Amino acid sequence: MSAQRVTLTGASGLIGPSLLRALEKQDSEVSVLSRDPERTRARLGDVEVLGWQPEREAAPAAALAGREAIFHLAGAPVAQRWSASAKRAIRDSRVLGTRNLVDGIAALDAGERPRTLISSSAIGYYGAHGEEPLDEDAPAGNDFLADVCADWEREAARAAELGVRVVQVRTGVVLDSGGGALRRMLPAFRLGAGGPVAGGRQYISWIHRDDLIGIILAALADERWRGPVNATAPEPVSNRDFSRALGRALGRPSVLPVPGAALRLLYGEMAEIVTTGARVVPAKPLVLGYEFRHPRLPEALKSALAPA
């Protein structure tokens, strides 16, 4: 049996290198699309890298034709102060990038099109909520990030009209000490200066990096996976409980509150991601039989913080 051929965008991001290694362990032949091929080759090593400017052009046929799947993870960082130019980059890298990826698929002959498109999204789709659990059928919110996610998913869904199976992975807060939200939190918590943010009642819907990769690979392997999928652990927690668990995992106190006003002064509109939250549950993965490796926060944090 020949190895399956797949293509990955966003290979240099938080999840990309781990997904690349996981695919290679399955003997997949992986191609990478990158806006900076030379830099990406230097980081990733012996992997095929093709150039693509996602906001400007359709994805190249050489990276799409005959592929079993396309994994689309590319997008500008959300965790930055949201100036007008930053918001434009956040939107365009996702919405225009996904549109141009699907346009590249559409340009192929039907027999050459990839069978599956697994496209990133985020739980920002739901906007700010209180304590009500939100499954994949919950409606989109009405803030900036929710609008971006809804448009992002809509562009990915166009590939279904081309006969491609589409999965949109709505990712929560990824536990990975090498990057993302956890890495930004660690310095303060290691100094004993961490604590709940803006009162700490808002929910954090988290997922261990290994389970995010596991969900993506499960979506590749099982054709029952279609449409939006919440990539979050089964037990979201309040910001206060998350802070306590992180402090315990580090053996440090975690009681110093962080006022929401301070975050808004530092990050502007982007601070709403941290000061508000949503209680997102992975209904579809659980129904489809996905077994979480790290379903509970204390053990998940211990694993995420362990030396590589």
Side-chain angles (χ1 to χ4, degrees), residues 139-153:
N142 56 11
D143 57 22
F144 165 70
L145 197 55
D147 289 345
V148 169
C149 289
D151 291 344
W152 189 9
E153 292 189 12

Side-chain angles (χ1 to χ4, degrees), residues 102 105 113 117 154-166:
V102 175
I105 294 172
R113 289 171 184 161
L117 169 62
R154 193 174 298 116
E155 294 295 340
R158 292 173 49 231
E161 301 169 9
L162 304 171
V164 178
R165 179 172 64 97
V166 177

Side-chain angles (χ1 to χ4, degrees), residues 169 207 211-219 225 229-232 285 290 292:
V169 182
I207 186 168
D211 279 315
L212 176 53
I213 298 299
I215 283 174
I216 291 171
L217 294 180
W225 293 65
V229 172
N230 287 340
T232 58
Y290 181 76
F292 283 82

Side-chain angles (χ1 to χ4, degrees), residues 108-195:
L108 299 172
D109 292 338
E112 287 292 299
R113 289 171 184 161
R115 294 181 59 188
T116 301
L117 169 62
I118 298 177
S119 181
S120 283
S121 184
I123 61 170
Y125 175 92
Y126 301 108
H129 277 267
E131 296 188 356
E132 75 275 25
L134 304 170
D135 65 14
E136 289 86 353
D137 292 329
N142 56 11
D143 57 22
F144 165 70
L145 197 55
D147 289 345
V148 169
C149 289
D151 291 344
W152 189 9
E153 292 189 12
R154 193 174 298 116
E155 294 295 340
R158 292 173 49 231
E161 301 169 9
L162 304 171
V164 178
R165 179 172 64 97
V166 177
V167 184
Q168 296 113 327
V169 182
R170 294 175 180 165
T171 304
V173 175
V174 180
L175 300 189
D176 184 340
S177 61
L182 183 58
R183 183 179 181 180
R184 290 191 294 274
M185 295 169 70
L186 284 176
F189 275 82
R190 282 178 170 145
L191 291 171

